[in-house]
Amino acid sequence: MIADPDFSSIATLIADPSRAAMLAALLGGQTLPATELAHCAQISPQTASTHLNKLVAGHLVTVKRQGRHRYYCLASSEVATVLETLATLAPASPVRSFQQSQHAQAIRQARTCYDHLAGQLGVELTRQLVSRNLLNPIEPAYQVTAQGEQWFNELGIDLKLLRQKRRALACQCLDWSERHYHLAGALGAALQSRWFELAWIQRIPASRAVRITEVGRVEFFKMFGIRF
Amino acid sequence: MIADPDFSSIATLIADPSRAAMLAALLGGQTLPATELAHCAQISPQTASTHLNKLVAGHLVTVKRQGRHRYYCLASSEVATVLETLATLAPASPVRSFQQSQHAQAIRQARTCYDHLAGQLGVELTRQLVSRNLLNPIEPAYQVTAQGEQWFNELGIDLKLLRQKRRALACQCLDWSERHYHLAGALGAALQSRWFELAWIQRIPASRAVRITEVGRVEFFKMFGIRF
DNA sequence: TCAAAGTTTCGATGGATATCGAAGTATGAT
DNA sequence: ATCATACTTCGATATCCATCGAAACTTTGA
């Protein structure tokens, strides 16, 4: 028998600033070792260890042992969704240090939202896809237009394959930094991996910020007329 | 400039069991006075007062003064979404007391998910709408079929009016107790208020559980062949 | 004007837990 | 074998904050 669902137990796990920092790092969709996460949260390895145990026990993250390393990653895309949704409500925290400001700028410009692109780049690309009539926004989702069908296939994305997945093809995900929707779902994920394949974007280690490469700058401009 | 969004500040607000209990009560979509909320959380009015101040400061709830009462309600439907999403991840907490078991049963059977129906009733109604070909589930949303168009209008729901709203018409909302989708969005909200109007369901004071009336039992069976 | 009800502020208390040093266990390299 | 690295466990400390009693404030009703 299930009683009242307790938000509080899960919220408690997320509430601690150190744990939140580690979860934020994992929101990049990467798997990271414990020491790396300790570094992200600016805490000692001992402390990180206890935190990570709690996160695993709470089913927010999973571990894989590989030799003397333990690699952690978010337990599921639902966890990522919860974190992103929480971020939507979170107040804009003022920047304190220069380093923080650099990081803030990077993360606002382009970042992964677990498996799809977010930030200015993510939102702008989505806007372009819509204004070029490749996607059609119908409230909680995007519809791929006939033109879009062809365009995505030419880009090397197999829509038929994506449709076979259980997952939603193309949905609207609220961007906490831009306060505007960007493309999520299977198509969003496929698009992101295509940009990575083409090396138009690059991961920044242990961060969910993403670097737009020189090639990317040129090609995104050619393709969409946008400057980054 | 926005830095890393801190989940933790919002999560901290939700993390406290007393505050969580008050938020859960407000998830019914009602506005409740402070004393009532203190009662829900089983804490003294003083303690409730400090908690409610924090929730207001964090923009999770809003207050309206009316005479010597202060009425609280969730600040927005986004807050409700966040709470429901959190509930999705929350572990099934075992029931301890008899009273709790009663409450748990009621809340699982039928409850409001802020402005639409959830629980066994919400899920079952949605299933029926789909199997009768009135709604068509297309991953993150539901599409109203031609038959559905007519059916909803006959029920007294003005779809044209609903479509004019900015809000998504009909989306899939994951039910934490049933682990299945139910109907949300403007249509979900309209449907719920229609059931209330028809008195097929009734609010249980200061709870998000909903009572199915005798009329409701009869009519839901006539309309959908479901027994409650 | 007084009393009662709803709510807040203040101050003291207590419990929970994040933190790290120290020490311990694995794994891998030399 | 020996040492270094990655990580964990234990124990002590310190901080945060939820809680409530006491007292005040405000509104309503008599």
Side-chain angles (χ1 to χ4, degrees), chain A residues 60-137:
Chain A
L60 291 187
V61 308
T62 54
V63 218
K64 276 179 202 159
R65 313 185 52 150
Q66 252 180 52
R68 52 183 167 183
H69 294 269
R70 312 237 162 153
Y71 286 94
Y72 292 87
C73 71
L74 292 190
S76 66
S77 62
E78 280 81 31
V79 176
T81 307
V82 168
L83 294 175
E84 288 292 333
T85 320
L86 266 176
T88 299
L89 290 187
S93 62
V95 166
R96 281 175 298 271
S97 67
F98 176 70
Q99 197 184 9
Q100 205 179 15
S101 140
Q102 293 284 87
H103 178 238
Q105 198 142 14
I107 219 168
R108 292 189 68 197
Q109 187 183 62
R111 67 175 175 278
T112 57
C113 181
Y114 193 56
D115 62 1
H116 58 273
L117 265 183
Q120 287 162 19
L121 180 63
V123 168
E124 194 47 54
L125 287 177
T126 305
R127 276 211 185 97
Q128 291 297 328
L129 292 174
V130 169
S131 73
R132 276 149 210 270
N133 207 27
L134 306 174
L135 289 181
N136 190 18

Side-chain angles (χ1 to χ4, degrees), chain B residues 50-228:
Chain B
T50 59
H51 283 317
L52 287 167
N53 277 334
K54 290 181 187 183
L55 290 176
V56 170
H59 301 108
L60 291 186
V61 308
T62 54
V63 217
K64 276 179 202 159
R65 314 184 48 150
Q66 253 181 50
R68 53 185 164 181
H69 295 268
R70 310 237 164 154
Y71 286 93
Y72 292 87
C73 71
L74 292 191
S76 66
S77 62
E78 280 81 29
V79 176
T81 307
V82 168
L83 293 175
E84 287 292 335
T85 320
L86 266 176
T88 300
L89 290 187
S93 62
V95 166
R96 281 176 297 272
S97 67
F98 176 70
Q99 197 184 8
Q100 205 179 16
S101 138
Q102 293 284 85
H103 179 238
Q105 196 144 13
I107 220 169
R108 294 189 67 198
Q109 186 183 63
R111 66 175 177 276
T112 57
C113 182
Y114 192 57
D115 63 0
H116 57 271
L117 265 184
Q120 288 162 19
L121 180 63
V123 168
E124 193 49 50
L125 287 177
T126 305
R127 276 212 183 99
Q128 291 296 328
L129 292 173
V130 169
S131 74
R132 276 149 209 268
N133 206 30
L134 306 173
L135 290 181
N136 189 16
I138 301 180
E139 253 312 316
Y142 291 104
Q143 204 177 37
V144 181
T145 63
Q147 290 173 57
E149 201 82 23
Q150 193 186 342
W151 188 88
F152 284 111
N153 279 324
E154 278 169 13
L155 193 66
I157 291 174
D158 188 348
L159 282 172
K160 273 184 195 164
L161 208 74
L162 294 182
R163 277 190 235 273
Q164 283 168 18
K165 299 189 182 182
R166 275 209 210 125
R167 190 172 177 197
L169 181 69
C171 46
Q172 300 185 4
C173 176
L174 187 56
D175 196 293
W176 54 260
S177 61
E178 297 295 299
R179 306 236 138 250
H180 196 278
Y181 289 109
H182 58 242
L183 173 66
L187 184 57
L191 212 51
Q192 168 171 287
S193 27
R194 194 74 186 110
W195 305 137
F196 275 127
E197 262 175 44
L198 294 169
W200 294 10
I201 54 176
Q202 244 175 13
R203 282 194 186 282
I204 295 177
S207 163
R208 65 188 193 291
V210 152
R211 208 172 65 80
I212 304 168
T213 63
E214 270 315 307
V215 181
R217 254 171 253 285
V218 173
E219 295 296 331
F220 280 132
F221 181 70
K222 271 197 213 160
M223 189 174 264
F224 296 111
I226 57 179
R227 293 197 182 281
F228 271 93

Side-chain angles (χ1 to χ4, degrees), chain A residues 18 22 34-35 37-39 41-52:
Chain A
S18 305
M22 296 196 270
T35 316
L37 288 168
H39 181 77
Q42 309 191 44
I43 51 179
S44 68
Q46 304 96 293
T47 309
S49 177
T50 59
H51 282 317
L52 288 167

